[in-house]
Amino acid sequence: MTDQHVTRDIVQKLWGLCNVLRDDGITYQAYVTELTFLLFLKMMQETKREDALPKGYRWSDLTKREGEGLLTHYRALLLKLGTSGTGMVRDIFTDAQTSLRKPTNLSTLVSEIDKLDWFSARREGLGDLYEGLLQKNAGEKKSGAGQYFTPRPLIDCAVRLLKPQSGEIVQDPAAGTGGFLVAADRYIKDATDDLFNLSPAQQAFQRTQAFAGLELVLDAHRLLLMNLMLHGIEGAGVAVGDTLSPDGERLPKADLILTNPPFGTKKGGGRPTRSDFSITADTSNKQLAFVEHVVRSLKPAGRAAVVVPDNVLFEDNTGQRLRSWLMDLCNLHTILRLPTGIFYAQGVKTNLLLLQRGTTDKGNTKSVWVYDMRADAPAFGKTRPLTMQDFADFEKVYGSDPNGGAKRKDQGEEGRWRCFTRDAIKARNDNLDISWLRDTEVDVEEHLTEPVDIAAAIIGHLKAALADIENLSDELEPDSVDEAVAVPEAAE
């Protein structure tokens, strides 16, 4: 059995244990968090790195206890590691608490985890296990699922296109649980014989300084740190914080940014509080503000891949100003129109922007190439997940140059791959929502069969409509309180 099959088998067994815990009031998300605490302790043992944990508070100290004594010690362990641990261990377990109330349930988790085939799964460790569990969680929840989960095939596609290099600073300003950062790290390790081709100083840089970012949600940040640490990324500069606040200004300038920022508006209609923002300072639209961050955070000649919803491409006023500014400062060389249904309950229409920061501040975009992966696409969802093969044709026409400089050929109105000059885009008032093939989204949704996929499509349409209303209200900027219209906050 291959490592990949072993990992999938372990994920399935671990997910099955969730049924045991339902009578303890454990939700799916709480279960993933609970399980990750235990997986972290087990993997520290498997990778012989338990010297980072205080004696008496390691995996073996759980396996030799039973009943109420086990649960009592587990609670003490979480407190100890969160207060007396060192470095990333302390950060991971800060304010950690267990949702388990029944000792028998904790005992079941510990014994079942201990029996799994860790020898075969050791190479990938918690990283792939966690991402598999998160994907399971996204597929099981009926709404709001997967808000931190970007499909692995999309992440890997972006990484293959932009080719992270050793010695570069890679940033994700909306890091979630670390999917983009872990994939970039894996790409670099594959190209450097697991870093052995690098000097000791270069190896230290990759482990401690190469990756940076912020994550707003504490629980996601906790899991992110576990994920990074068990992939050999230590002392990572990925903190808890809000990128649209002064926290974002303190991030180091990046050679490469890979990110899938949150969609919607800031809570309470708040605006970014960045002193360096000029284009999006007066909007509560988070996706527009994150694009400004990406441009400002790139080094000259730095590159980025950013997932954005359609409204970033066509919105007037602030949106139009942002696109014009971006195309002046950057070479926006490629837009990939992504199919719907790939973000589970987030059924919004999305795109992957691929760009390079210029070394001057004017006229960097000469033309934009657009690949339409949305038209005539399969009905993606639980029964038809996104795969690496789905990106094969796009990667072929994109070419080997990470900055879009490879030889390209326009496929014309019948093809998926077309080029639009900067002048042609200017004639469209810098509207980049460009399509020429018949949009068969409605036809695709008619063929959905899984209730979870149908619900996701409905929720996606409702969220998109609500976001449009909020953005319109935000842009109108009423002159008086009497004219203001209260709009409920969009779900994130």
Side-chain angles (χ1 to χ4, degrees):
M1 184 181 293
T2 65
D3 283 352
Q4 185 178 18
H5 287 118
V6 169
T7 298
R8 190 181 305 127
D9 182 58
I10 291 177
V11 167
Q12 191 61 44
K13 289 178 179 178
L14 290 171
W15 191 254
L17 293 175
C18 189
N19 296 323
V20 178
L21 304 181
R22 285 179 179 172
D23 63 343
D24 212 350
I26 306 296
T27 65
Y28 283 120
Q29 191 62 53
Y31 172 62
V32 172
T33 303
E34 197 80 58
L35 192 59
T36 309
F37 288 143
L38 295 169
L39 287 174
F40 177 81
L41 295 171
K42 177 60 177 172
M43 289 308 301
M44 291 295 278
Q45 180 192 65
E46 291 293 326
T47 55
K48 302 187 184 331
R49 300 174 66 191
E50 285 188 303
D51 56 348
L53 306 175
K55 291 183 178 179
Y57 297 91
R58 300 172 179 178
W59 179 257
S60 60
D61 299 298
L62 293 178
T63 59
K64 64 188 179 186
R65 287 176 167 81
E66 297 179 353
E68 194 66 43
L70 171 61
L71 184 55
T72 298
H73 184 74
Y74 180 53
R75 288 170 176 157
L77 179 149
L78 296 179
L79 179 62
K80 177 74 173 179
L81 296 183
T83 55
S84 303
T86 58
M88 288 181 71
V89 172
R90 183 179 61 250
D91 293 339
I92 287 168
F93 287 92
T94 297
D95 296 328
Q97 296 180 346
T98 178
S99 301
L100 295 168
R101 295 172 295 176
K102 297 181 180 180
T104 54
N105 288 336
L106 176 58
S107 179
T108 298
L109 278 176
V110 170
S111 62
E112 292 299 316
I113 288 173
D114 211 37
K115 290 190 297 187
L116 295 173
D117 183 7
W118 291 108
F119 178 80
S120 300
R122 185 179 298 165
R123 184 175 185 276
E124 296 302 329
L126 178 62
D128 278 8
L129 292 178
Y130 174 73
E131 289 164 44
L133 287 167
L134 188 59
Q135 186 172 11
K136 278 280 188 183
N137 184 50
E140 289 291 335
K141 294 182 71 176
K142 301 301 185 288
S143 64
Q147 59 182 319
Y148 305 123
F149 184 79
T150 305
R152 168 59 65 185
L154 174 57
I155 289 174
D156 288 342
C157 172
V159 169
R160 286 192 299 271
L161 294 176
L162 295 195
K163 298 178 171 57
Q165 303 294 307
S166 60
E168 292 186 325
I169 292 178
V170 181
Q171 182 196 120
D172 185 347
T177 53
F180 276 112
L181 299 179
V182 167
D185 175 68
R186 182 181 294 119
Y187 184 93
I188 293 169
K189 285 177 176 173
D190 287 345
T192 59
D193 190 21
D194 204 26
L195 306 184
F196 284 112
N197 292 340
L198 304 180
S199 69
Q202 291 171 326
Q203 291 181 27
F205 174 86
Q206 288 305 130
R207 294 191 177 103
T208 63
Q209 301 177 53
F211 301 99
L214 288 171
E215 170 50 42
L216 182 62
V217 180
L218 180 60
D219 280 343
H221 180 256
R222 190 193 311 279
L223 301 173
L224 161 66
L225 291 182
M226 292 184 187
N227 203 358
L228 296 181
M229 189 171 182
L230 290 169
H231 275 93
I233 306 171
E234 303 170 5
V238 186
V240 174
D242 181 0
T243 298
L244 305 185
S245 78
D247 296 338
E249 297 181 58
R250 292 189 285 270
L251 284 171
K253 296 291 185 181
D255 300 282
L256 173 61
I257 295 178
L258 301 162
T259 190
N260 177 15
F263 303 162
T265 57
K266 283 183 69 67
K267 292 183 178 180
R271 309 301 198 250
T273 55
R274 296 271 294 264
S275 64
D276 61 333
F277 274 19
S278 60
I279 309 299
T280 62
D282 295 326
T283 182
S284 60
N285 186 314
K286 288 188 292 190
Q287 54 265 36
L288 295 180
F290 266 97
V291 172
E292 179 167 1
H293 165 80
V294 168
V295 174
R296 293 194 181 280
S297 199
L298 282 173
K299 295 178 181 179
R303 60 205 187 282
V306 189
V307 179
V308 298
D310 273 11
N311 75 289
V312 170
L313 304 186
F314 64 73
E315 186 173 310
D316 291 332
N317 302 318
T318 300
Q320 182 181 359
R321 291 194 298 273
L322 178 70
R323 293 189 299 274
S324 300
W325 174 77
L326 181 151
M327 286 186 283
D328 263 345
L329 270 64
C330 301
N331 176 18
L332 176 61
H333 51 80
T334 310
I335 298 174
L336 172 61
R337 291 170 60 83
L338 292 165
T340 57
I342 64 174
F343 289 101
Y344 295 92
Q346 280 189 325
V348 296
K349 298 177 181 179
T350 56
N351 310 267
L352 184 67
L353 305 185
L354 296 142
L355 56 94
Q356 182 183 29
R357 184 73 153 84
T359 55
T360 63
D361 290 346
K362 285 291 182 181
N364 280 285
T365 297
K366 307 300 183 184
S367 61
V368 179
W369 288 79
V370 181
Y371 187 94
D372 192 338
M373 192 176 168
R374 189 179 303 168
D376 296 319
F380 288 102
K382 189 173 183 180
T383 56
R384 172 58 169 91
L386 196 66
T387 67
M388 182 177 69
Q389 189 58 34
D390 291 314
F391 292 97
D393 184 65
F394 168 62
E395 292 185 33
K396 182 178 179 180
V397 298
Y398 183 92
S400 60
D401 186 339
N403 295 311
K407 186 176 180 180
R408 295 173 167 185
K409 182 178 180 181
D410 191 313
Q411 295 178 350
E413 293 186 359
E414 301 300 317
R416 294 185 179 273
W417 184 229
R418 301 202 63 193
C419 179
F420 299 88
T421 66
R422 182 68 184 90
D423 288 340
I425 293 169
K426 190 173 295 184
R428 294 169 49 89
N429 294 317
D430 288 338
N431 183 325
L432 290 168
D433 186 28
I434 303 171
S435 62
W436 59 95
L437 297 173
R438 179 170 174 261
D439 189 350
T440 58
E441 179 196 4
V442 175
D443 300 331
V444 168
E445 291 184 356
E446 286 177 352
H447 290 87
L448 295 174
T449 57
E450 282 286 326
V452 67
D453 293 336
I454 296 171
I458 295 171
I459 291 169
H461 288 304
L462 291 174
K463 285 183 176 180
L466 184 56
D468 288 343
I469 294 171
E470 289 177 324
N471 292 334
L472 177 61
S473 176
D474 184 55
E475 291 294 339
L476 287 176
E477 298 179 349
D479 294 328
S480 69
V481 175
D482 293 336
E483 295 176 11
V485 178
V487 181
E489 180 186 355
E492 296 183 10

